[in-house]
């Protein structure tokens, strides 16, 4: 008989997400800026690096899922990766923000650092979110942990928005590029500590939701069987498509914010207020997502949220580029990002149950690893959008602001992501049909089969 979850585990389930966001937001906020303005790579080389790394990152998602599903180390199938993965990911992430050698050599080192670090963190990231459904089948506990993770996500992002640029500037006196490198070192250490804390807290639940403990023979799912879990799972497909649109909105906004505040507002200090405000809104969204999801269902709450995001972006696109009105409307719109961010894990957990109900086989590790797939696709599309926006405006580092650059940034920030999210909203509405009632029925049927 499996033990019930301790309150401390539920309440601190999201702690690794705090460390992860503090760590990874260096890339979300400043990777493109680091390449252009600090590593000082030519724009053609920047575009190449962004394209190669984004494609590689997409390929790592199913690769990580297969490795996670087939692994079974001594500390638990999913839990073990909380111990093993973070130190190696941090080590290679440092290379991603380093300035070494000629532009070409530097670009190669950055690309290698990106590729290796992302493969490793895809695995332990998926291991963490897989614990949501492996440790418990109780919907309320899953929602509580998922929204808890969303709040810790937001707190990590808030912390970085408050201290990130200050750390970079403080540590990089006389050598701005080194400021980025040392900031990654410090945030990487915090990230490792957060994952290790949850690792030790979940000792009693290491083997929940898995058929065997290490040392025993386990029948592994084939790669074909894992891929079939996607094909026969419309809710999973719809959720991933919806998430692509949502993440695209976040990444494009954050990726272009540096250029907006540098070239349109001509005051980089304002970016700290903007980033902090967005992350506070995300925290509020995660806070209210729990009661909304329990009352109206995860699906309905998600659809409402994405609609708010789309309407907000279109309003920003239709208004003049006044930075005050821009920030106010973006703060309201960003509730549409924050609420689904808190529900993603529990919704993916529901698709795991759907897949097992449909096929009779549980591919939790593989399916939960796919939570990264929309992120990677959005990063790829973001790279194309940002590169197109800058190149189309003839951008070079420290150029004078032009009307063309301002208009390009406005369209890149709002109109393009809004159109993509509108398509995503339609698809998730049509394909993700899991309700609290249908989920309970599927879980009961799965339990009856096993009995």
């Amino acid at each position: 008989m499996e033990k019930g979850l301790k309150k401390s585990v539920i309440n601190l389930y999201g702690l690794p997400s705090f460390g992860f966001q503090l760590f990874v937001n260096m890339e979300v906020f400043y990777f493109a800026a680091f390449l252009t303005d600090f590593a000082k790579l030519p724009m053609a080389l920047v575009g190449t690096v962004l394209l190669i790394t984004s494609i590689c990152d997409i390929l790592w998602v199913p690769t990580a899922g297969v490795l996670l599903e087939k692994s079974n180390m001594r500390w638990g199938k999913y839990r073990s990766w909380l111990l093993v993965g973070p130190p190696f990911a941090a080590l290679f992430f440092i290379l991603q923000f380093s300035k070494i050698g000629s532009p070409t050599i530097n670009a190669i080192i950055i690309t290698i650092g990106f590729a290796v670090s992302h493969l490793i963190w895809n695995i332990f990231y998926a291991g963490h979110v897989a614990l949501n459904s492996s440790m418990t089948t109780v919907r309320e506990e899953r929602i509580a942990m998922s929204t808890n993770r969303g709040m810790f996500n937001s707190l990590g992002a808030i912390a970085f928005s408050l201290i990130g640029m200050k750390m970079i500037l403080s540590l990089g006196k006389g050598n701005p590029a080194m400021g980025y490198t040392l900031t990654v070192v410090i945030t990487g250490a915090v990230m490792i500590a957060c994952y290790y804390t949850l690792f030790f807290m979940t000792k009693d639940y290491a083997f929940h939701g898995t058929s065997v403990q290490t040392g025993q023979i386990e029948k592994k799912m084939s790669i074909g069987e894992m891929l079939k879990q996607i094909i026969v799972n419309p809710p999973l497909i719809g959720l991933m498509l919806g998430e692509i649109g949502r993440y695209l909105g976040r990444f494009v906004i954050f990726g272009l914010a540096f250029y907006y505040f540098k070239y349109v507002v001509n005051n980089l200090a304002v970016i700290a207020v903007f980033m902090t405000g967005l992350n506070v809104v995300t925290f509020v969204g995660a806070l209210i997502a729990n009661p909304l999801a329990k009352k109206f269902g995860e699906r309905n709450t998600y659809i409402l949220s994405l609609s708010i995001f789309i309407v907000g972006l279109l309003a920003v696109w239709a208004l003049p580029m006044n930075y005050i009105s821009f920030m106010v409307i973006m703060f309201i719109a960003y509730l549409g990002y924050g609420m689904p961010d808190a529900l993603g894990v529990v919704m993916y957990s529901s698709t795991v149950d759907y897949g097992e109900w449909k096929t009779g086989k549980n591919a939790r590790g593989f399916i939960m690893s796919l939570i990264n797939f929309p992120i990677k696709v959005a990063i790829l599309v973001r790279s194309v959008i940002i590169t197109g926006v800058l190149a189309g405006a003839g951008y070079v580092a420290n150029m004078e602001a032009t009307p063309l650059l301002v208009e390009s940034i406005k369209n890149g920030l709002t109109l393009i992501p809004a159109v993509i999210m509108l398509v995503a909203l339609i698809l998730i509405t049509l394909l993700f049909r899991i309700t609290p009632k249908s989920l309970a029925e599927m879980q009961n049927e799965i339990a009856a089969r096993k009995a």
Side-chain angles (χ1 to χ4, degrees):
M1 184 73 178
E2 293 185 346
K3 299 179 182 179
L5 293 182
K6 297 177 183 177
K7 288 293 183 182
S8 59
V9 171
I10 294 176
N11 293 334
L12 290 177
Y13 168 77
L15 181 61
S17 295
F18 172 86
F20 188 78
Q21 288 298 319
L22 189 66
F23 176 68
V24 77
N25 267 301
M26 175 67 83
E27 178 181 312
V28 175
F29 288 3
Y30 300 123
F31 186 43
F34 176 79
L35 295 177
T36 58
D37 288 35
F38 298 96
K40 296 190 181 301
L41 303 184
M43 275 304 300
L45 199 52
V46 169
T48 302
V49 170
L50 292 175
L51 180 61
I52 293 175
T53 53
S54 298
I55 293 174
C56 183
D57 208 16
I58 292 174
L59 296 177
W60 286 161
V61 173
T63 303
V66 170
L67 292 174
L68 178 62
E69 195 61 56
K70 289 184 174 293
S71 68
N72 195 16
M73 290 181 279
R74 59 179 296 186
W75 306 286
K77 186 180 184 70
Y78 309 119
R79 174 176 172 268
S80 296
W81 286 99
L82 276 62
L83 175 70
V84 175
F88 292 100
L91 178 64
F92 281 93
F93 196 60
I94 292 170
L95 295 180
Q96 185 180 330
F97 284 91
S98 61
K99 181 173 172 57
I100 302 173
S102 67
T104 301
I105 295 297
N106 198 17
I108 293 172
I109 292 173
I110 289 171
T111 302
I112 292 173
F114 184 110
V116 178
S117 65
H118 284 55
L119 174 60
I120 297 171
W121 86 36
N122 280 340
I123 302 174
F124 69 74
Y125 186 96
H128 175 218
V129 297
L131 289 174
N132 176 272
S133 59
S134 71
M135 291 194 298
T136 180
T137 59
V138 179
R139 173 175 170 263
E140 288 74 16
E141 288 186 338
R142 288 182 175 182
I143 291 176
M145 287 192 291
S146 183
T147 54
N148 172 272
R149 172 184 172 272
M151 287 187 285
F152 271 107
N153 259 338
S154 301
L155 289 174
I158 290 170
F160 184 84
S161 67
L162 290 173
I163 68 174
M165 181 55 72
K166 292 179 181 177
M167 289 179 63
I168 292 169
L169 296 176
S170 177
L171 296 172
K173 290 181 178 178
N175 186 352
M178 182 58 67
Y180 282 80
T181 305
L182 294 178
T183 300
V184 170
V185 172
I186 295 172
T187 56
V190 175
M191 183 265 294
I192 293 169
C194 291
Y195 273 92
Y196 277 21
T197 299
L198 186 66
F199 172 82
F200 289 111
M201 290 181 64
T202 52
K203 180 180 180 181
D204 294 339
Y205 315 102
F207 300 100
H208 280 206
T210 56
S211 58
V212 296
Q213 297 189 15
T214 186
Q216 297 175 299
I217 297 175
E218 178 185 11
K219 183 178 179 181
K220 306 288 187 182
M221 293 183 67
S222 68
I223 295 177
E225 289 175 320
M226 293 183 204
L227 294 177
K228 182 181 177 182
Q229 291 282 331
I230 302 175
I231 298 172
V232 302
N233 202 325
L236 175 61
I237 296 172
L239 180 58
M240 286 195 294
L241 292 173
E243 288 286 85
I244 288 172
R246 186 175 69 88
Y247 278 115
L248 179 64
R250 168 185 168 86
F251 293 148
V252 169
I253 291 167
F254 279 19
L256 287 175
F258 173 86
Y259 301 97
Y260 171 73
F261 286 104
K262 181 175 181 179
Y263 294 102
V264 180
V265 181
N266 195 30
N267 184 0
L268 269 179
V270 180
I271 195 173
V273 177
F274 179 65
M275 297 298 189
T276 302
L278 289 183
N279 289 316
V280 170
V281 168
T282 305
F283 178 82
V284 173
L287 197 63
I288 64 178
N290 192 339
L292 287 176
K294 288 179 178 178
K295 183 173 179 62
F296 300 108
E298 299 90 312
R299 174 182 180 271
N300 292 338
T301 303
Y302 190 105
I303 291 172
L304 171 64
S305 303
L306 206 59
S307 300
I308 292 173
F309 203 175
I310 294 169
V311 171
L313 287 179
L314 290 177
V316 172
W317 175 71
L319 292 173
M321 283 289 281
N322 178 286
Y323 81 92
I324 296 177
S325 61
F326 170 80
M327 288 196 293
V328 170
I329 295 175
M330 284 304 306
F331 291 158
I332 297 173
Y334 217 65
L335 280 173
Y337 173 85
M339 287 188 283
D341 195 53
L343 299 175
V345 171
V346 70
M347 293 177 74
Y348 274 96
S349 295
S350 297
T351 67
V352 172
D353 293 330
Y354 181 93
E356 185 173 6
W357 171 76
K358 189 82 172 181
T359 66
K361 297 182 179 180
N362 187 299
R364 178 177 290 109
F366 177 73
I367 290 178
M368 295 306 289
S369 74
L370 295 176
I371 197 171
N372 280 322
F373 183 76
I375 299 175
K376 311 311 179 184
V377 174
I379 289 174
L380 173 61
V381 178
R382 175 212 64 178
S383 299
V384 174
I385 292 174
I386 291 176
T387 302
V389 165
L390 298 178
Y395 176 80
V396 293
N398 300 316
M399 69 178 288
E400 294 292 328
T402 64
L404 177 59
L405 181 62
V406 172
E407 187 67 22
S408 295
I409 291 173
K410 183 177 180 180
N411 290 335
L413 272 171
T414 58
L415 182 60
I416 297 173
V419 171
I420 294 175
M421 274 194 282
L422 180 60
V423 176
L425 175 63
I426 295 171
L427 292 173
I428 194 171
T429 301
L430 294 175
L431 296 175
F432 192 96
R433 311 289 292 183
I434 299 175
T435 64
K437 180 180 178 180
S438 65
L439 177 64
E441 291 172 350
M442 287 187 292
Q443 290 177 335
N444 291 335
E445 186 172 333
I446 291 169
R449 290 176 192 168
K450 292 180 178 178

